[in-house]
């Protein structure tokens, strides 16, 4: 386990370095800059601002200085949000996105697994067809359509939940349901497919022959194997949900990290783009590593570093 973690952490450092380098080079390859606006600044003022942020230096020198800041844990100042650093932006907005993402992850995982298991236990029944229909619908319909429908029906037609802002538990319901809809539908389809396959295995037939109840068969024998592909999917899904969704945060006016991630792109806010990208990538690497560690705990036949396909 120790050697495996060392190898994975070493690989993670290399991956993070590659992501930062590629993102840095791509940003500087795009025409324009953070201070290129429709109304042009006087050349002297623009030169002074660029000198303040060291943007007048060669790209290789900017890259070297930025990597030195990263090693110290400094993500740099924002070029558009004057007086604020990228560290401050992430520290302020990520907790909101994390609450939204965690709620969506729990709803997607619990709802998707339960729906998939029930569908697999009743193949070719009206329950199975219903789960398949709604899961296909959930995967196909864009998130902003799901959000608009929930806002219309549960916010205006039946005013049960608030439709905007982030002020308490009742405000979280609609955004969480909107963000969880697509992954829950995918998890339901994935669980149904793998559960049907597992229920046809010989050891399941043996368990039935011993007189075990349906609950014991599913909970103690089938679910552990059927849920492995879902756990693989949870790694990148959790990172995506925890860093926020710009669409969901825009629809419900949530001050999360997703808003900064998108606005920083058309603002050419280099440090925010790099900081949020690096933060997102670190979460992906961390969650994937966590998934690899959890695998053997669920299925002892799977050794660390050698997950089953």
């Amino acid at each position: 386990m120790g050697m495996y973690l060392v190898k994975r952490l070493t690989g993670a450092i290399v991956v993070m370095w590659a992501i930062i380098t590629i993102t840095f080079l791509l940003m500087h390859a795009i025409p324009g800059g953070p201070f290129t606006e429709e109304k042009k600044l006087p050349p002297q003022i623009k030169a002074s601002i660029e000198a303040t942020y060291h943007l007048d230096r060669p790209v290789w020198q900017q890259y070297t200085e930025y990597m030195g800041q990263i090693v110290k844990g400094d993500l740099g100042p924002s070029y558009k949000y004057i007086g604020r650093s990228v560290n401050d932006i992430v520290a302020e907005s990520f907790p909101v996105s994390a609450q939204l993402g965690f709620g969506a992850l729990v709803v997607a995982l619990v709802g998707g697994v339960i729906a998939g298991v029930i569908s697999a236990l009743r193949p070719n029944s009206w329950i199975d067809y219903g789960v398949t229909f709604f899961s296909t619908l959930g995967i196909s319909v864009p998130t902003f359509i799901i959000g608009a429908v929930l806002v219309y029906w549960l916010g205006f037609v039946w005013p049960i939940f608030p439709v905007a802002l982030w002020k308490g538990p009742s405000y979280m319901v609609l955004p969480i349901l909107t963000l969880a809809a697509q992954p829950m539908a995918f998890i339901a389809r994935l669980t149904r497919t793998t559960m049907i396959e597992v229920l046809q295995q010989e050891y399941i037939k043996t368990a039935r022959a011993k007189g075990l109840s349906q609950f014991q068969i599913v909970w103690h024998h089938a679910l552990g194997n059927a849920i492995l592909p879902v756990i693989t999917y949870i790694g990148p899904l959790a990172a995506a949900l925890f860093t926020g969704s710009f669409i969901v945060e825009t629809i419900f006016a949530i001050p999360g990290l997703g808003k900064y991630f998108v606005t920083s792109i058309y603002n050419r806010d280099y440090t925010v783009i790099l900081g949020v990208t690096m933060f997102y990538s670190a979460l992906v690497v961390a969650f994937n590593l966590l998934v690899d560690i959890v695998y053997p705990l669920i299925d002892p036949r799977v050794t660390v570093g050698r997950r089953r396909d």
Side-chain angles (χ1 to χ4, degrees), residues 59-285:
V59 174
W60 67 268
Q61 191 172 354
Q62 295 181 44
Y63 173 76
T64 303
E65 292 178 354
Y66 185 77
M67 293 302 295
Q69 291 179 349
I70 292 299
V71 173
K72 298 176 183 178
D74 182 10
L75 300 179
S78 170
Y79 299 148
K80 289 296 182 178
Y81 300 95
I82 306 301
R84 300 185 65 188
S85 68
V86 181
N87 295 66
D88 295 335
I89 292 174
V90 173
E92 177 184 320
S93 58
F94 176 67
V96 177
S97 294
Q99 292 178 46
L100 174 62
F102 179 77
L105 181 63
V106 172
V107 171
L109 183 60
V110 174
V113 170
I114 292 176
V117 170
I118 293 175
S119 179
L121 293 176
R122 300 289 186 272
N124 300 321
S125 65
W126 66 270
I127 296 178
D128 184 25
Y129 293 143
V131 171
T132 301
F133 172 78
F134 283 107
S135 60
T136 303
L137 192 66
I139 295 173
S140 305
V141 177
T143 301
F144 67 90
I145 298 295
I146 297 174
V149 170
L150 290 177
V151 167
Y152 177 73
W153 285 105
L154 300 181
F156 294 103
V157 177
W158 299 308
I160 303 174
F161 302 108
V163 298
L165 302 180
W166 191 260
K167 296 182 178 180
S170 62
Y171 290 82
M172 300 179 182
V173 175
L174 293 183
I176 287 176
L177 291 178
T178 302
L179 190 58
Q182 285 191 338
M184 180 168 59
F186 184 82
I187 290 174
R189 292 289 299 271
L190 187 61
T191 304
R192 176 191 179 276
T193 301
T194 53
M195 180 62 74
I196 289 177
E197 180 181 349
V198 169
L199 291 176
Q200 296 174 351
Q201 300 298 317
E202 292 298 328
Y203 70 92
I204 297 296
K205 296 178 181 178
T206 302
R208 286 199 179 103
K210 291 181 178 179
L212 296 181
S213 65
Q214 188 79 289
F215 176 81
Q216 290 177 316
I217 292 173
V218 171
W219 182 255
H220 294 289
H221 298 281
L223 188 59
N225 291 323
I227 205 174
L228 288 178
V230 176
I231 294 176
T232 303
Y233 174 63
I234 287 177
L237 171 65
L241 294 179
F242 273 56
T243 49
S245 167
F246 173 71
I247 296 176
V248 174
E249 292 177 2
T250 301
I251 292 174
F252 298 98
I254 298 173
L257 191 60
K259 175 185 68 175
Y260 292 101
F261 183 63
V262 176
T263 55
S264 64
I265 296 175
Y266 61 75
N267 283 335
R268 299 288 200 279
D269 201 344
Y270 294 159
T271 51
V272 176
I273 296 173
L274 277 167
V276 177
T277 301
M278 184 174 60
F279 186 73
Y280 173 82
S281 303
L283 284 178
V284 172
V285 172

Side-chain angles (χ1 to χ4, degrees), residues 21-70:
T21 302
I22 294 172
T23 306
F24 186 92
L25 295 176
L26 287 176
M27 286 190 313
H28 284 78
I30 299 175
F35 304 107
T36 302
E37 301 177 356
E38 294 181 2
K39 183 179 180 180
K40 293 185 178 180
L41 296 172
Q44 297 84 355
I45 296 179
K46 184 178 179 181
S48 176
I49 295 175
E50 290 180 344
T52 301
Y53 292 105
H54 302 167
L55 295 177
D56 57 337
R57 300 180 182 181
V59 174
W60 67 268
Q61 191 172 354
Q62 295 181 44
Y63 173 76
T64 303
E65 292 178 354
Y66 185 77
M67 293 302 295
Q69 291 179 349
I70 292 299

